[in-house]
Amino acid sequence: MLKLPPLSLYIHIPWCVQKCPYCDFNSHGQHGELPQQAYVDDLLADLANDAAYVQGRSLHSIFIGGGTPSLFDGPQIRRLLNGVRAQIPFAEDIEITMEANPGTLEHDDFSAYRAAGVTRLSIGVQSFSSDKLNLLGRIHDKHEAEVAATKAAQAGYQSFNLDLMHGLPNQSFEEAMHDIDKAAALNPPHLSWYQLTIEPNTLFHSKPPQLPDDEALWRIYEQGQQRLAALGYEQYEISAYAKPGYRCRHNLNYWQFGDYLGIGCGAHGKITLVNEQRIYRTVKIKHPKGYLGASDYLFDKSEVLAEDRALEYLMNRLRLMSPIPRREFEERTGLCADVLDDGMARAATKGLVIIEADHWQLTPKGQMFVNELLGLFCE
């Protein structure tokens, strides 16, 4: 039987100074003054329309993503968070993350966002090489990246994350390791370290840059993992590393198949309705022109059917390195855990998982071959 999981909130602010050539997110270049007041009004109206999905819960976490949320000023972020709190109670220990890009900040604003209620920053550094930043179309340089990280550490946040990419155009092994060392020297409690991928509908897809070959990528990944571990960062998710006690609660809720409301242009949500014993996914209107001033912000709502829930759960849960409890599977999907037994048995014979009485645990090999593991549940 389905049980109510923790509830998070994702808020999408879609504007950027300019679109990066690798980005396939729903983002739009800034043209003129941003409609901050109007957009916050719409976000809060959008949230009110989703009130039935709350079902008596408090908010476990909030993530303000984009786009570039730091294009909005502190007073508007405060008004947004106060408006959210007026509609849904906050958990006492709520985590509130906001994405920020070094090139869009007057760094004194870090304290304004903290005063507005943000408890955690996620800073899109990507690299500490000005050459690589230029190739990625970023509007900041390596000095601005360092200043932003330093200011975040000084602003009194409970935690902050630095986003780093590897496998960049013409990136050498030494350059990739330098980025890790440079980031770690700034002492962020959390690091996101992930490989640049070429996505459809991006400039890089139509004009691909020269990326490192597979052998070079593997060396960067393998040695980077070891270096991060030696620096005190524990990998708890495919591309997330944290000092003890600083894992991102919001992302953990995603990967554990928790619930999240999604408000803002193109925002996705996933909601469990226990009275109906059903799970739904929602998508909001994508473009700001359609979203601003709308009376109904919903673009699509689809049910996650019972026959699809096991695979959907695993596609999320296998991003994490932690054991997969049978009880969690049952409560989040409404299915008996026995439905996974045959697939897990096949995975165990291939050395991908270890089967225990109350949980399954990915092996190091399983962590490397997640797609192969998922395929065993499609047979």
Side-chain angles (χ1 to χ4, degrees), residues 62-87:
I62 297 173
F63 196 101
I64 308 172
T68 306
S70 51
L71 290 174
F72 276 37
D73 59 38
Q76 289 298 338
I77 297 299
R78 179 194 292 271
R79 191 167 73 89
L80 170 62
L81 293 176
N82 285 346
V84 172
R85 187 196 292 267
Q87 296 188 45

Side-chain angles (χ1 to χ4, degrees), residues 1-3 272-279 303 309 334:
M1 177 177 288
L2 284 169
K3 294 189 176 181
T272 303
L273 295 182
V274 288
N275 289 341
E276 299 180 13
Q277 286 292 293
R278 292 183 175 181
I279 299 172
E303 183 177 357
R309 290 179 196 167

Side-chain angles (χ1 to χ4, degrees), residues 203-240:
L203 182 59
F204 273 0
H205 189 263
S206 59
K207 297 180 179 179
Q210 182 65 47
L211 301 182
D213 60 29
D214 288 346
E215 184 176 341
L217 288 171
W218 174 250
R219 185 183 179 212
I220 289 171
Y221 178 75
E222 184 179 44
Q223 295 298 313
Q225 296 271 50
Q226 294 178 22
R227 187 162 300 202
L228 285 163
L231 290 165
Y233 291 94
E234 178 189 9
Q235 184 184 20
Y236 68 95
E237 187 254 336
I238 286 176
S239 59

